[in-house]
């Protein structure tokens, strides 16, 4: 009778406990790690089940291994970032976010170069601000890392914090935070162009990172890179290579680079997928009450019925949560409900099962399984694992320990630890044991790396030693005494050691040729104590050889050139600056002047290179600068030699040029103009003047030619002969021509109807743009009749691209636009133009017109051309 009452009391207690557990989980479910983990797992499943593509508005320019190899050093000098910004600004991208810490100064020249690039980007660059709290309390003091003030003045600042969730993954992003009392947006907020706000939001991981346009940053520096794919898109520049260790754990995808997290957060906002979370406690309490009532009501029902009902509830509830999250962006946390359902099933089963005996058997079986599992884990571990007691006797060892420590087939289980491990490692174990005696209640641990010679090679091993307090029986096996249990885990770090050594090598040397890279070359020369000649060598037409003979032969050629440079005793140092460009240094004392030095270096290429049983002749061009004394800037010297090489490339075949400060200044002036053009066009600093066109026989005005002019606030009046070639070289002349076409048509609408307007068209406009569409847009925007518009083209457009050009000209003439051939009579002018091309006018070059009054031959030429054109 007492036993029956006890069982009834135990059953009642278990029932009350389970009901209380259901209520407690309902009230505190989100605070419990298990419930939170289950909710996160369900959320991850919903993300994975509804993949979405990225919008394509954000492009990831990745600093990957290819880029690291291309640049050849890390961290990069800041002029590298400046070059990227210059290139991207010319392409016409939208915002540019650089996920790099610029909080510490570099050299003055490097900082100035980057600051200039930021300024010329026109405020379109976003730099990161990092805010970290000194303690786990988010309201405590915080340390803010932000770019240097000079950089911040020319860029947008955005918080780039990423915070781990309780399960160790990143699930949320911030909208913004306060910096010096100002509300600063997060990176996601800036890229998505949302108003400033505070708080956090869930990242929608249903957006697939693989659909985000990702381009290796090295491709941007390639001359043939097509920037049209980046035009008007926002750019995120950041680490992608695993060597840079900028990766974070995330749901669904495992690990993602930090910049990709910012892109997914911005995509979440851009796609309207800002997930909403509601307050569910009232609904969860009502559901819990219904679940408990159902469990008590079904105690006597067949066992299968409650399980079927629970299964149906789970499937239906998850389906509803799935649809709401997929279609409405509403997140429903269901883990608390499903846990309550499981506990309710247990509550129902307590009436049918002797729960106390069941729990005891489960606990006993679990204990036995744990012992077997731990033994199995130690035995099968790929790391060497040794477990020892307070007497330093090994009581467990892994099979891998024998191979890793060179024991052979002999194990040391049951023997002293001193016989199994190197003496230095055993001494460290004894030190930790001594520390344990001083503080017996504290876990002692240490790690150490050590080499070991096995089979003629050296292994690099890393050992982690842990000594944990434990009650141990005394020698007689009686009462308990204080002791410890120790573990020794040894891992093979040989591959990692070699990898670190390889990375260290690659940071200073070129992997292909073995020569020093740019950074190592400059650092090496700073230690020289004599004046030097600095020369930069470029291989002539190497790209053609590389394309025709294959990349492998091209690599062999580069290695052969490197060997020839290093084997010449006159050359103090040699380096590879990239591609087919090499740098060398020679003592000034070796040659009496620059010319002798340059001719001697070029003479190295007079002898053919022996390669693959054949002889290959290479020609080179060389730029050289005068000797630089100790203490001067070697980076500046190499840069001057590169300027000289640019000048030498204008020489046919092999040739050399010394550094010319005037030419370098002109080149620098051209680059300044190139960078200023885009901003000037936006600021209205370009304008048109109109040159009248008069009918000589009647003296009547019949039109005017639009002439492009530029007045810059800093450079003043810039001649068309100066800026037009620069604009044609970088392709900006297409935008200038499109603007001039619209402006001229608008202005001509204010003239009498009998007057026409002539607009010059650059050859590159016929190649890179749809000139017909541009003309049609200008005419539609201004309302000018097509017959009043005259387009003047040069002969080079007809010579180089006659097929596409003729098609465009015919379509323009069909619209009613008049076509004139400008500067006829010079260059490659041919009378066949008048027969083969659909032209309306020939503009005889002014060199003939100006002399025809005093030069009978010029007058004859003008009359002849006029007669032929009329015929």
């Amino acid at each position: 009778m007492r036993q029956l009452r006890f069982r009834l009391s135990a059953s009642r207690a278990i029932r009350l406990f389970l009901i209380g557990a259901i209520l407690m989980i309902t009230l505190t479910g989100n605070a419990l790690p298990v419930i939170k983990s289950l909710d996160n797992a369900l959320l991850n499943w919903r993300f994975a089940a509804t993949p979405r593509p990225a919008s394509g508005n954000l492009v990831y320019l990745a600093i990957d291994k290819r880029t690291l190899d291309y640049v050849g050093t890390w961290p990069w000098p800041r002029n590298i970032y400046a070059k990227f910004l210059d290139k991207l600004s010319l392409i016409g991208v939208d915002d540019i976010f650089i996920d790099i810490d610029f909080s510490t100064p570099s050299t003055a020249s490097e900082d100035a170069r980057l600051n200039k690039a930021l300024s010329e980007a026109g405020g379109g660059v976003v730099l990161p601000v990092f805010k970290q709290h000194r303690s786990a309390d988010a309201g405590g003091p915080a340390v803010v890392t932000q770019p240097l003030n000079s950089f911040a003045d020319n860029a947008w600042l955005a918080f780039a914090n990423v915070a781990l969730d309780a399960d160790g993954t990143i699930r949320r992003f911030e909208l913004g935070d306060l910096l010096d009392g100002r509300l600063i947006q997060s990176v996601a907020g800036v890229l998505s162009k949302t108003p400033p706000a505070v708080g956090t939001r869930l990242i929608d991981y249903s957006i697939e990172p693989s659909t985000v346009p990702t381009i290796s940053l090295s491709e941007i520096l390639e001359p043939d890179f097509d920037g049209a794919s980046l035009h008007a898109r926002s750019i995120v520049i950041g680490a992608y290579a695993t060597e840079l260790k900028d990766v974070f754990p995330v749901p669904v995808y495992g690990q993602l680079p930090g910049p990709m997290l910012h892109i997914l957060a911005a995509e979440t906002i851009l796609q309207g997928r800002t997930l909403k979370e509601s307050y569910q406690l009232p609904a969860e309490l009502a559901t819990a009450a219904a679940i408990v009532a159902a469990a008590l009501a079904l105690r006597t029902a067949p066992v299968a019925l409650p399980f079927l009902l629970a299964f149906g509830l789970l499937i239906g509830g998850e389906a509803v949560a799935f649809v709401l999250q997929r279609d409405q962006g509403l997140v429903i946390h269901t883990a608390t409900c499903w846990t309550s359902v499981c506990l309710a099933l247990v509550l129902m089963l307590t009436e049918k099962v002797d729960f106390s005996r069941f729990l005891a058997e489960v606990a006993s079986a679990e204990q036995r399984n744990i012992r077997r599992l731990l033994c199995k884990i130690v035995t099968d571990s790929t790391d060497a694992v040794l477990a020892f007691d307070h007497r330093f006797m090994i009581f467990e060892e892994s099979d891998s320990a024998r191979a890793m420590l060179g024991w052979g087939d002999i194990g040391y289980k049951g023997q002293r630890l001193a016989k199994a491990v190197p003496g230095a490692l055993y001494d460290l174990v004894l030190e930790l044991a001594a520390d344990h005696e001083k503080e017996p209640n504290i876990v002692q641990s240490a790690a150490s790396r050590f080499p070991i010679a096995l089979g003629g090679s050296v292994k690099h091993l890393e050992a982690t030693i842990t000594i944990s307090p434990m009650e141990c029986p005394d020698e007689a096996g009686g009462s308990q005494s204080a002791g410890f249990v120790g573990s020794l885990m040894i891992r093979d770090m040989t591959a990692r050691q070699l990898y670190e050594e390889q990375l260290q090598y690659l940071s200073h040397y070129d992997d292909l040729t073995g020569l020093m890279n740019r950074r190592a070359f400059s650092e090496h020369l700073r230690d020289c104590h004599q004046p030097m000649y600095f020369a930069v060598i470029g291989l002539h037409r190497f790209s053609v050889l590389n394309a025709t003979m294959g990349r492998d032969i091209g690599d062999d050629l580069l290695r052969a050139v490197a060997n020839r440079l290093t084997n010449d005793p006159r050359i103090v140092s040699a380096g590879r600056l990239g591609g087919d460009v090499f740098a060398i240094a020679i003592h000034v004392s070796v040659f009496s002047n620059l010319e002798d030095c340059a001719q001697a270096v070029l003479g190295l290429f007079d002898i053919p290179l022996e390669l693959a049983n054949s002889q290959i002749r290479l020609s080179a061009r060389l730029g050289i600068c005068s000797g630089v004394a100790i203490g001067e800037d070697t980076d500046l010297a190499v840069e001057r030699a590169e300027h000289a090489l640019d000048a030498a490339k204008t020489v046919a075949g092999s040739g050399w040029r010394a550094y010319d400060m005037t030419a370098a200044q002109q080149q620098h002036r051209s680059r300044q103009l190139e960078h200023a053009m885009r901003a000037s066009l936006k600021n209205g600093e370009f304008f048109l003047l109109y040159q009248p066109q008069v009918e000589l026989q009647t003296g009547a005005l019949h039109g005017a030619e639009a002439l492009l002019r530029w007045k810059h606030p800093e450079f003043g009046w810039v001649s068309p002969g100066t800026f037009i070639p620069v604009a044609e070289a970088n392709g900006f002349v297409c935008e200038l021509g499109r603007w001039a076409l619209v402006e001229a048509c608008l202005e001509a609408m204010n003239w009498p109807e009998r007057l026409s307007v002539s607009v010059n068209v650059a050859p590159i406009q016929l190649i890179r743009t749809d000139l017909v569409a541009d003309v049609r847009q200008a005419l539609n925007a201004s309302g000018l009749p097509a017959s009043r518009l005259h387009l003047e083209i040069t002969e080079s457009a007809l010579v180089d691209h006659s097929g596409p050009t003729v098609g465009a000209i015919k379509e323009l003439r069909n619209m009613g636009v008049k076509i004139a051939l400008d500067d006829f009579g010079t260059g490659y002018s041919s009378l066949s133009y008048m027969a083969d091309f659909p032209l309306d006018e020939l503009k005889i070059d002014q060199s003939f017109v100006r002399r025809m009054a005093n030069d009978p031959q010029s007058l004859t030429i003008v009359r002849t051309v006029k007669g032929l054109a009329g015929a």
Side-chain angles (χ1 to χ4, degrees):
M1 189 68 175
R2 290 182 178 178
Q3 185 178 5
L4 179 59
R5 289 179 179 176
F6 173 76
R7 289 187 177 179
L8 290 175
S9 299
S11 178
R12 187 177 296 110
I14 292 173
R15 186 186 305 158
L16 292 175
F17 170 77
L18 291 172
I19 293 174
I22 292 173
L23 293 176
M24 183 196 71
I25 287 174
T26 303
L27 292 172
T28 63
N30 288 335
L32 298 176
V34 175
I35 303 297
K36 189 68 174 177
S37 298
L38 180 56
D39 259 329
N40 289 337
L42 292 171
L43 184 62
N44 296 347
W45 173 81
R46 295 170 199 153
F47 284 143
T50 56
R52 302 171 186 272
S55 66
N57 294 327
L58 303 175
V59 179
Y60 184 7
L61 297 188
I63 305 176
D64 53 5
K65 186 177 186 303
R66 177 182 172 187
T67 307
L68 295 177
D69 294 342
Y70 189 96
V71 177
T73 183
W74 185 263
W76 288 346
R78 288 180 175 168
N79 70 83
I80 298 295
Y81 297 104
K83 291 180 181 179
F84 286 130
L85 289 179
D86 294 343
K87 189 81 177 273
L88 293 173
S89 296
L90 291 176
I91 291 173
V93 301
D94 198 355
D95 293 330
I96 306 172
F97 169 57
I98 308 178
D99 194 10
I100 299 294
D101 183 3
F102 292 115
S103 61
T104 57
S106 179
T107 63
S109 61
E110 291 289 333
D111 286 348
R113 178 68 181 89
L114 178 56
N115 199 40
K116 180 183 176 185
L118 291 171
S119 176
E120 293 175 349
V125 180
V126 183
L127 297 181
V129 176
F130 304 96
K131 186 174 185 180
Q132 297 176 325
H133 294 277
R134 290 193 175 97
S135 64
D137 181 10
V143 176
V144 177
T145 302
Q146 56 182 316
L148 299 174
N149 291 336
S150 60
F151 298 159
D153 291 341
N154 292 302
W156 290 95
L157 298 185
F159 277 106
N161 299 337
V162 289
L164 294 177
D165 209 349
D167 62 348
T169 61
I170 296 175
R171 295 181 175 277
R172 296 177 174 272
F173 68 94
E174 292 186 358
L175 295 173
D177 205 340
L178 293 177
L179 176 64
D180 298 331
R182 296 181 296 117
L183 180 57
I184 301 296
Q185 291 178 279
S186 66
V187 174
V190 174
L191 294 179
S192 61
K193 296 179 173 56
T194 55
V198 295
T200 63
R201 296 291 186 272
L202 285 169
I203 299 175
D204 187 356
Y205 283 107
S206 65
I207 301 171
E208 295 182 290
S210 60
T211 63
V212 174
T214 303
I215 302 174
S216 172
L217 200 51
S218 62
E219 296 183 19
I220 304 300
L221 293 180
E222 297 292 344
D224 57 349
F225 176 73
D226 183 11
S229 61
L230 303 182
H231 182 73
R233 293 186 176 185
S234 294
I235 304 299
V236 175
I237 300 176
Y240 184 87
T242 54
E243 293 87 347
L244 301 181
K245 300 179 180 179
D246 187 20
V247 293
F248 298 91
V250 299
V252 184
Y253 307 110
Q255 287 186 330
L256 290 177
M260 182 60 75
L261 289 176
H262 296 305
I263 292 176
L264 291 183
E267 286 282 354
T268 299
I269 301 175
L270 287 173
Q271 297 191 29
R273 291 291 300 168
T274 306
L275 302 176
K276 299 175 284 296
E277 299 175 282
S278 60
Y279 182 65
Q280 299 180 198
L281 182 57
E284 288 176 349
L285 286 173
T287 303
I291 289 173
V292 170
L296 295 177
L298 296 172
R299 284 180 298 171
T300 58
V303 176
L305 180 59
F307 280 94
L308 289 175
L309 291 176
F311 181 76
L313 178 62
L314 188 149
I315 296 299
E318 271 306 309
V320 172
F322 174 81
V323 172
L324 289 176
Q325 182 172 318
R326 182 193 64 187
D327 298 338
Q328 304 299 325
L330 179 62
V331 176
I332 304 296
H333 299 290
T334 56
T336 300
C337 179
W338 308 145
T339 305
S340 299
V341 170
C342 293
L343 290 176
L345 291 175
V346 175
L347 175 61
M348 184 271 299
L349 290 175
T350 56
E351 299 296 328
K352 302 178 180 296
V353 180
D354 188 346
F355 205 65
S356 300
R357 181 181 298 174
F358 173 75
L359 291 178
E361 292 178 356
V362 169
S364 178
E366 183 178 359
Q367 188 175 10
R368 291 193 301 270
N369 289 335
I370 289 174
R371 285 199 298 268
R372 286 194 294 266
L373 180 61
L374 290 176
C375 182
K376 186 68 173 175
I377 290 174
V378 171
T379 303
D380 296 343
S381 174
T382 56
D383 294 336
V385 180
L386 302 176
F388 55 91
D389 59 19
H390 63 290
R391 296 171 298 173
F392 304 103
M393 301 295 292
I394 299 174
F395 63 83
E396 198 63 70
E397 66 183 18
S398 64
D399 294 338
S400 58
R402 301 176 184 179
M404 192 174 296
L405 297 173
W407 294 349
D409 296 331
I410 302 174
Y412 286 89
K413 189 173 182 178
Q415 300 187 44
R416 293 189 63 82
L417 182 65
K419 296 181 180 181
V421 299
L425 189 58
Y426 183 69
D427 291 340
L428 184 56
V429 173
L430 294 180
E431 291 179 12
L432 289 180
D435 293 339
H436 170 74
E437 291 182 2
K438 297 176 184 178
E439 298 178 297
N441 296 323
I442 298 178
V443 175
Q444 304 290 339
S445 64
S448 175
R449 281 195 181 187
F450 62 95
I452 184 172
L454 290 176
S457 61
V458 177
K459 280 187 177 182
H460 297 273
L461 305 179
E462 182 180 69
T464 302
I465 308 165
T466 303
I467 290 182
S468 305
M470 186 176 181
E471 292 294 329
C472 300
D474 58 17
E475 295 296 333
S479 60
Q480 301 288 316
S481 61
F484 65 82
V485 63
S487 65
L488 184 60
M489 299 185 65
I490 304 175
R491 177 169 295 178
D492 191 344
M493 305 295 290
T494 304
R496 180 173 178 178
Q497 180 78 16
L498 296 176
Y499 180 70
E500 290 175 353
E501 292 174 358
Q502 179 69 8
L503 280 182
Q504 181 66 22
Y505 174 83
L506 292 177
S507 67
H508 291 84
Y509 294 92
D510 176 46
D511 187 37
L512 177 63
T513 62
L515 297 179
M516 291 179 285
N517 59 24
R518 179 187 293 270
R519 181 179 182 182
F521 181 75
S522 296
E523 291 176 353
H524 174 72
L525 293 178
R526 292 191 187 102
D527 298 330
C528 296
H529 300 285
Q530 297 182 26
M532 296 282 181
Y533 288 132
F534 290 91
V536 175
I537 305 168
L539 304 182
H540 183 46
R541 294 177 58 82
F542 175 76
S543 60
V544 177
L545 287 173
N546 205 27
T548 56
M549 303 181 68
R551 186 172 295 275
D552 292 338
I553 299 297
D555 291 345
D556 291 340
L557 280 173
L558 293 176
R559 281 188 285 264
V561 171
N563 290 334
R564 183 162 292 184
L565 295 177
T566 54
N567 291 333
D568 192 309
R570 297 169 297 182
I571 297 176
V572 177
S573 299
R576 184 185 179 204
L577 303 185
D580 59 353
V581 180
F582 298 83
I584 60 173
I586 299 176
H587 287 305
V588 170
S589 59
V590 177
F591 296 100
S592 59
N593 54 55
L594 281 173
E595 182 175 0
D596 290 344
C597 180
Q599 294 296 347
V601 175
L602 291 176
L604 295 176
F605 297 90
D606 292 339
I607 303 174
L609 295 170
E610 298 287 342
L611 193 66
N613 298 323
S614 62
Q615 293 186 340
I616 298 178
R617 288 189 175 274
L618 275 179
S619 59
R621 293 167 175 173
L622 182 139
I624 190 169
C625 67
S626 58
V628 178
I630 182 64
E632 295 192 23
D633 189 350
T634 55
D635 290 333
L636 179 60
V638 174
E639 184 177 342
R640 288 176 175 176
E642 288 179 304
H643 281 301
L645 176 62
D646 291 339
K649 288 180 179 179
T650 61
V651 180
S654 298
W656 68 279
R657 285 289 184 270
Y659 172 72
D660 185 350
M661 182 175 294
T662 301
Q665 288 175 345
Q666 291 176 350
Q667 186 179 22
H668 177 68
R669 167 79 169 182
S670 296
R671 290 178 179 174
Q672 286 181 316
L673 295 177
E674 180 179 350
H675 295 157
M677 284 181 179
R678 196 175 301 276
S680 290
L681 183 59
K682 292 181 180 179
N683 297 335
E685 293 162 7
F686 283 98
F687 59 93
L688 297 178
L689 295 179
Y690 297 91
Q691 179 175 320
Q693 295 174 330
V694 179
E695 176 65 43
L696 293 180
Q697 294 180 351
T698 63
L701 178 68
H702 71 86
E705 179 181 357
L707 304 177
L708 185 62
R709 295 295 183 264
W710 182 17
K711 185 176 183 181
H712 191 271
E714 179 182 353
F715 306 135
W717 288 97
V718 184
S719 168
T722 300
F723 73 80
I724 290 296
V726 175
E728 289 180 337
N730 65 12
F732 186 65
V733 72
C734 296
E735 293 186 40
L736 276 177
R738 190 179 296 113
W739 172 85
L741 188 62
V742 174
E743 289 295 313
C745 290
L746 290 173
E747 179 65 26
M749 281 298 295
N750 298 322
W751 302 347
E753 294 184 358
R754 58 186 176 80
L755 299 182
S756 63
V757 62
S758 298
V759 181
N760 289 284
V761 176
I764 195 173
Q765 287 181 259
L766 290 163
I767 303 169
R768 293 192 181 180
T769 65
D770 186 348
L771 182 62
V772 176
D774 292 342
V775 169
R776 185 175 286 112
Q777 180 181 359
L779 294 175
N780 292 337
S782 62
L784 184 73
S787 59
R788 294 180 60 191
L789 175 61
H790 294 192
L791 297 182
E792 298 185 4
I793 62 175
T794 59
E795 59 175 317
S796 60
L798 303 179
V799 172
D800 298 335
H801 303 278
S802 59
T805 301
V806 169
I809 291 176
K810 287 182 177 178
E811 189 170 353
L812 289 169
R813 294 187 77 233
N814 291 336
M815 292 168 53
V817 177
K818 299 293 190 279
I819 305 298
L821 180 62
D822 199 7
D823 298 333
F824 184 80
T826 62
Y828 300 98
S829 292
S830 169
L831 295 177
S832 64
Y833 290 159
M834 293 182 288
D836 297 338
F837 293 96
L839 303 174
D840 296 291
E841 297 178 5
L842 287 178
K843 293 189 64 176
I844 302 173
D845 187 73
Q846 60 181 340
S847 61
F848 299 106
V849 177
R850 288 178 176 176
R851 298 199 307 264
M852 68 180 183
N854 302 316
D855 185 0
Q857 291 182 346
S858 297
L859 179 60
T860 301
I861 291 173
V862 172
R863 284 176 173 173
T864 301
V865 173
K866 181 177 181 295
L868 291 173

